[in-house]
Amino acid sequence: MVENARGSTRVEAWDFQTVRVVAEKKGAAGNSLEPGELVLMGAQNSVIVQCRQGFGRIDLTIYVPNSARYK
């Protein structure tokens, strides 16, 4: 499950059995992703990605196994 009200989210399937999350924060020069702005949680076969409220745009690219279901 992905929640990202701060930017775009792109999900791509790949041949690996792992999940990879790439987050890119856009805004003022030198503006880096702060702790707590992006929350990643995993349990059993589920992964939750949440972008918390804040300043600046956060674009996500998430790579999931070919067999994954997402919402």
Side-chain angles (χ1 to χ4, degrees):
M1 184 171 77
V2 178
E3 295 177 7
N4 182 12
R6 291 181 58 183
S8 67
T9 300
R10 184 174 71 192
V11 178
E12 295 189 18
W14 65 350
D15 292 330
F16 299 99
Q17 292 301 309
T18 58
V19 174
R20 179 179 183 212
V21 178
V22 178
E24 182 180 1
K25 185 172 181 182
K26 298 178 180 179
N31 203 5
S32 61
L33 199 60
E34 297 294 326
E37 283 188 291
L38 183 65
V39 178
L40 304 172
M41 295 177 277
Q44 297 175 344
N45 290 331
S46 297
V47 175
I48 299 172
V49 180
Q50 294 178 324
C51 286
R52 297 282 172 97
Q53 291 184 354
F55 297 102
R57 177 183 177 95
I58 298 177
D59 292 331
L60 299 175
T61 303
I62 303 171
Y63 298 89
V64 298
N66 287 321
S67 60
R69 293 180 296 152
Y70 60 92
K71 56 181 178 173

